[in-house]
PDB file of all heavy atoms in Angstrom:
ATOM      1  N   LYS C   8      -5.280  15.233   8.776  1.00 98.00           N
ATOM      2  CA  LYS C   8      -4.592  16.441   9.228  1.00 98.00           C
ATOM      3  C   LYS C   8      -5.571  17.318   9.997  1.00 98.00           C
ATOM      4  O   LYS C   8      -6.717  17.509   9.579  1.00 98.00           O
ATOM      5  CB  LYS C   8      -4.050  17.199   8.006  1.00 98.00           C
ATOM      6  CG  LYS C   8      -3.220  18.391   8.399  1.00 98.00           C
ATOM      7  CD  LYS C   8      -2.473  18.983   7.219  1.00 98.00           C
ATOM      8  CE  LYS C   8      -1.563  20.079   7.780  1.00 98.00           C
ATOM      9  NZ  LYS C   8      -1.157  21.038   6.817  1.00 98.00           N
ATOM     10  N   CYS C   9      -5.096  17.864  11.106  1.00 97.00           N
ATOM     11  CA  CYS C   9      -5.898  18.759  11.924  1.00 97.00           C
ATOM     12  C   CYS C   9      -6.239  20.020  11.127  1.00 97.00           C
ATOM     13  O   CYS C   9      -5.406  20.531  10.373  1.00 97.00           O
ATOM     14  CB  CYS C   9      -5.078  19.080  13.166  1.00 97.00           C
ATOM     15  SG  CYS C   9      -5.555  20.579  13.955  1.00 97.00           S
ATOM     16  N   ILE C  10      -7.471  20.533  11.295  1.00 98.00           N
ATOM     17  CA  ILE C  10      -7.901  21.683  10.471  1.00 98.00           C
ATOM     18  C   ILE C  10      -7.356  23.012  10.988  1.00 98.00           C
ATOM     19  O   ILE C  10      -7.415  24.019  10.303  1.00 98.00           O
ATOM     20  CB  ILE C  10      -9.443  21.794  10.379  1.00 98.00           C
ATOM     21  CG1 ILE C  10     -10.092  22.131  11.744  1.00 98.00           C
ATOM     22  CG2 ILE C  10     -10.056  20.546   9.791  1.00 98.00           C
ATOM     23  CD1 ILE C  10     -11.508  22.679  11.621  1.00 98.00           C
ATOM     24  N   ASP C  11      -6.838  23.005  12.202  1.00 96.00           N
ATOM     25  CA  ASP C  11      -6.339  24.267  12.769  1.00 96.00           C
ATOM     26  C   ASP C  11      -5.016  24.614  12.088  1.00 96.00           C
ATOM     27  O   ASP C  11      -4.060  23.836  12.134  1.00 96.00           O
ATOM     28  CB  ASP C  11      -6.154  24.095  14.281  1.00 96.00           C
ATOM     29  CG  ASP C  11      -5.800  25.401  14.952  1.00 96.00           C
ATOM     30  OD1 ASP C  11      -4.647  25.869  14.788  1.00 96.00           O
ATOM     31  OD2 ASP C  11      -6.676  25.952  15.638  1.00 96.00           O
ATOM     32  N   VAL C  12      -4.960  25.804  11.486  1.00 94.00           N
ATOM     33  CA  VAL C  12      -3.790  26.114  10.660  1.00 94.00           C
ATOM     34  C   VAL C  12      -2.506  26.208  11.476  1.00 94.00           C
ATOM     35  O   VAL C  12      -1.418  25.955  10.965  1.00 94.00           O
ATOM     36  CB  VAL C  12      -3.988  27.407   9.826  1.00 94.00           C
ATOM     37  CG1 VAL C  12      -5.029  27.198   8.740  1.00 94.00           C
ATOM     38  CG2 VAL C  12      -4.367  28.595  10.686  1.00 94.00           C
ATOM     39  N   GLU C  13      -2.632  26.560  12.743  1.00 94.00           N
ATOM     40  CA  GLU C  13      -1.411  26.660  13.556  1.00 94.00           C
ATOM     41  C   GLU C  13      -0.996  25.330  14.173  1.00 94.00           C
ATOM     42  O   GLU C  13       0.146  25.131  14.534  1.00 94.00           O
ATOM     43  CB  GLU C  13      -1.603  27.709  14.662  1.00 94.00           C
ATOM     44  CG  GLU C  13      -1.377  29.087  14.100  1.00 94.00           C
ATOM     45  CD  GLU C  13      -1.760  30.194  15.036  1.00 94.00           C
ATOM     46  OE1 GLU C  13      -2.131  29.910  16.198  1.00 94.00           O
ATOM     47  OE2 GLU C  13      -1.699  31.343  14.592  1.00 94.00           O
ATOM     48  N   CYS C  14      -1.960  24.438  14.330  1.00 95.00           N
ATOM     49  CA  CYS C  14      -1.688  23.142  14.964  1.00 95.00           C
ATOM     50  C   CYS C  14      -1.218  22.148  13.900  1.00 95.00           C
ATOM     51  O   CYS C  14      -0.070  21.729  13.898  1.00 95.00           O
ATOM     52  CB  CYS C  14      -2.955  22.684  15.667  1.00 95.00           C
ATOM     53  SG  CYS C  14      -2.856  21.101  16.462  1.00 95.00           S
ATOM     54  N   GLY C  15      -2.111  21.799  12.975  1.00 93.00           N
ATOM     55  CA  GLY C  15      -1.739  20.996  11.806  1.00 93.00           C
ATOM     56  C   GLY C  15      -1.179  19.607  12.096  1.00 93.00           C
ATOM     57  O   GLY C  15      -0.444  19.053  11.281  1.00 93.00           O
ATOM     58  N   LEU C  16      -1.526  19.030  13.241  1.00 96.00           N
ATOM     59  CA  LEU C  16      -1.037  17.680  13.550  1.00 96.00           C
ATOM     60  C   LEU C  16      -1.521  16.675  12.503  1.00 96.00           C
ATOM     61  O   LEU C  16      -2.630  16.818  11.981  1.00 96.00           O
ATOM     62  CB  LEU C  16      -1.531  17.252  14.938  1.00 96.00           C
ATOM     63  CG  LEU C  16      -0.832  17.914  16.126  1.00 96.00           C
ATOM     64  CD1 LEU C  16      -1.659  17.744  17.397  1.00 96.00           C
ATOM     65  CD2 LEU C  16       0.566  17.326  16.308  1.00 96.00           C
ATOM     66  N   VAL C  17      -0.705  15.690  12.203  1.00 97.00           N
ATOM     67  CA  VAL C  17      -1.109  14.682  11.217  1.00 97.00           C
ATOM     68  C   VAL C  17      -1.166  13.292  11.859  1.00 97.00           C
ATOM     69  O   VAL C  17      -0.443  13.011  12.823  1.00 97.00           O
ATOM     70  CB  VAL C  17      -0.182  14.661   9.972  1.00 97.00           C
ATOM     71  CG1 VAL C  17      -0.267  15.949   9.190  1.00 97.00           C
ATOM     72  CG2 VAL C  17       1.237  14.345  10.349  1.00 97.00           C
ATOM     73  N   CYS C  27      -7.784  15.991  16.892  1.00 97.00           N
ATOM     74  CA  CYS C  27      -6.366  15.884  17.240  1.00 97.00           C
ATOM     75  C   CYS C  27      -6.218  15.969  18.754  1.00 97.00           C
ATOM     76  O   CYS C  27      -7.195  16.218  19.462  1.00 97.00           O
ATOM     77  CB  CYS C  27      -5.557  16.982  16.551  1.00 97.00           C
ATOM     78  SG  CYS C  27      -5.655  18.592  17.376  1.00 97.00           S
ATOM     79  N   GLU C  28      -4.989  15.784  19.269  1.00 96.00           N
ATOM     80  CA  GLU C  28      -4.895  15.768  20.735  1.00 96.00           C
ATOM     81  C   GLU C  28      -5.184  17.116  21.380  1.00 96.00           C
ATOM     82  O   GLU C  28      -5.391  17.197  22.573  1.00 96.00           O
ATOM     83  CB  GLU C  28      -3.584  15.154  21.248  1.00 96.00           C
ATOM     84  CG  GLU C  28      -2.316  15.717  20.689  1.00 96.00           C
ATOM     85  CD  GLU C  28      -1.518  14.658  19.932  1.00 96.00           C
ATOM     86  OE1 GLU C  28      -2.087  14.060  18.989  1.00 96.00           O
ATOM     87  OE2 GLU C  28      -0.353  14.445  20.273  1.00 96.00           O
ATOM     88  N   LYS C  29      -5.239  18.167  20.550  1.00 96.00           N
ATOM     89  CA  LYS C  29      -5.615  19.466  21.117  1.00 96.00           C
ATOM     90  C   LYS C  29      -7.098  19.770  20.925  1.00 96.00           C
ATOM     91  O   LYS C  29      -7.566  20.869  21.236  1.00 96.00           O
ATOM     92  CB  LYS C  29      -4.766  20.569  20.486  1.00 96.00           C
ATOM     93  CG  LYS C  29      -3.301  20.443  20.873  1.00 96.00           C
ATOM     94  CD  LYS C  29      -2.511  21.625  20.385  1.00 96.00           C
ATOM     95  CE  LYS C  29      -1.025  21.397  20.645  1.00 96.00           C
ATOM     96  NZ  LYS C  29      -0.225  22.102  19.639  1.00 96.00           N
ATOM     97  N   GLY C  30      -7.828  18.801  20.381  1.00 95.00           N
ATOM     98  CA  GLY C  30      -9.285  18.962  20.299  1.00 95.00           C
ATOM     99  C   GLY C  30      -9.815  19.576  19.015  1.00 95.00           C
ATOM    100  O   GLY C  30     -10.975  19.976  18.952  1.00 95.00           O
ATOM    101  N   HIS C  31      -8.972  19.657  17.954  1.00 96.00           N
ATOM    102  CA  HIS C  31      -9.461  20.203  16.683  1.00 96.00           C
ATOM    103  C   HIS C  31      -9.917  19.083  15.753  1.00 96.00           C
ATOM    104  O   HIS C  31      -9.349  17.996  15.774  1.00 96.00           O
ATOM    105  CB  HIS C  31      -8.353  20.993  15.978  1.00 96.00           C
ATOM    106  CG  HIS C  31      -7.683  21.996  16.835  1.00 96.00           C
ATOM    107  ND1 HIS C  31      -6.322  22.009  17.054  1.00 96.00           N
ATOM    108  CD2 HIS C  31      -8.187  23.019  17.566  1.00 96.00           C
ATOM    109  CE1 HIS C  31      -6.004  23.005  17.862  1.00 96.00           C
ATOM    110  NE2 HIS C  31      -7.121  23.626  18.205  1.00 96.00           N
TER     111      HIS C  31
END
Side-chain angles (χ1 to χ4, degrees):
K8 185 169 186 201
C9 157
I10 66 162
D11 187 287
V12 291
E13 279 170 5
C14 178
L16 286 163
V17 295
C27 80
E28 53 242 56
K29 293 187 186 151
H31 310 123

